[in-house]
Structures are given as structure tokens and as C-alpha cells.
Amino acid sequence: MPASILDPNTALVLIDLQKGITGLPTVHPADEVVARAARLAAAFRAHGLPVVLVNVTGGAPGRTEAGRAGGHTRPADWAELVGELDRQPGDVLVTKERWGAFHGTELDAELRRRGVTQVVFGGIATSIGVESSARAAYAHGYHVTVAVDAVTDLDPEAHRNSVERIFPRLGETDTTEAIIGLLG
């Protein structure tokens, strides 16, 4: 279902658009996803709405069948946000150690302090950081919208599953341009 409305207190949350992740091979070109995310960020800022930039610096310690990602030493700038996001002093920076942006961070408190009732998501990876964060936002009682052309994944099937099956159950989905149009 296309996005129908944006609440007056909507925040944009961009997940893991950082140097170490945007350089990975993704379903949709990461530079296009970053460009759309940057357009969203500029539009939200222009309307005086919160922009949250999330990066990841670690991972959960549990064992998995897939093993731990990145079994090598990461470059020093791996967790740095990409410059195209044009981070501004008023932006909220959230650094996470897990997939989701809510677990073990101050994200919910930051949003509540600002009276946020709805969250628009973009970022990489669709089925990991974005989906985990969208699920948590929904569980915390926020209205959820996902900019489906501002997300991508390393796995085409995982991306498709999130976009077609999971996100519509958590909220609404639409394109970057349509969401910007809803800002008024």
C-alpha cells in the first residue's frame, strides 16, 4: 500500500549508510540508494523534521550457522557515514552494535524526546538492519514507512521478502519521491 500520510512529527532513520557497507555488492546500486537517502535527509531537514543517521560498529556475540560476517580486520573508516548524507549538527547519530537500531541504543528515547510518532526508513541491508529496526519501531508503537527505493540488500531474495512480505505488515511503503511529496 502506498504511504497515505506522514504524521506532523515524523523522523527519518537511515540505517548503516557507512563506508564499509556501501562498498559491498548489493541488489540495487548502493550509490543510487545513498543518493535517494540523501534526498530524503535534505527534505526532512528542510521541513524541520529529525534525521537519524545510524551506523554499526559491532555484532551480536552469539553463534550462527552462517558464521560471523567480516572475519577480517576492518579498515579504520569502515563505520564512517558516507559524505553524501551531508551530516548536519542537528542530526541524531546512533551507533549500534546489533542489527536493529533500537536494541541497546538511545534511539527510542531520542525519538520520544522529539515527540516523534512515525518513522521513515532507508538504508542497507534491507533484510537485516532496516527490517530489524522497522520491526522494533512497530513494536515500540511508531507508525512505520519504508522508502523501498532507498533500501537494498546483499541477497535478492531476502530483499524481495522484506519489501513484499514484511514491510507491508509493519506499515506502509512508497518511493522516495512520493514520501518527499507527502512532506508538503
Side-chain angles (χ1 to χ4, degrees):
M1 175 175 157
S4 58
I5 190 170
L6 293 180
D7 295 352
N9 293 326
T10 298
L12 175 65
V13 178
L14 298 175
I15 305 292
D16 301 344
L17 295 176
Q18 60 194 63
K19 292 180 180 179
I21 292 179
T22 58
L24 297 172
T26 54
V27 175
H28 304 292
D31 60 336
E32 293 176 13
V33 169
V34 168
R36 289 183 188 107
R39 283 189 39 74
L40 284 165
F44 271 69
R45 290 180 192 119
H47 284 83
L49 295 171
V51 173
V52 180
L53 303 174
V54 180
N55 68 339
V56 61
T57 59
R63 289 185 301 272
T64 67
E65 287 184 27
R68 306 240 340 131
H72 57 282
T73 303
R74 295 175 173 158
D77 66 350
W78 189 86
E80 283 182 29
L81 295 167
V82 295
E84 294 88 339
L85 296 178
D86 190 30
R87 182 176 172 199
Q88 297 294 305
D91 293 347
V92 177
L93 176 63
V94 172
T95 297
K96 63 186 177 83
E97 296 286 327
R98 304 295 188 260
W99 283 3
F102 284 87
H103 181 82
T105 73
E106 290 295 313
L107 179 55
D108 185 49
E110 291 285 349
L111 296 175
R112 300 236 184 252
R113 264 193 288 279
R114 290 164 175 78
V116 170
T117 57
Q118 183 170 0
V119 182
V120 173
F121 286 100
I124 303 172
T126 311
S127 67
I128 300 174
V130 178
E131 183 179 314
S132 297
S133 300
R135 284 175 182 261
Y138 178 78
H140 279 81
Y142 295 99
H143 297 288
V144 173
T145 301
V146 178
V148 293
D149 61 350
V151 296
T152 192
D153 203 289
L154 283 70
D155 180 303
E157 286 304 309
H159 174 79
R160 187 184 60 71
N161 185 68
S162 294
V163 169
E164 293 178 9
R165 294 191 175 111
I166 304 300
F167 295 152
R169 298 187 73 172
L170 300 175
E172 297 177 328
T173 62
D174 218 324
T175 65
T176 295
E177 290 308 311
I179 291 167
I180 290 172
L182 289 174
L183 288 170

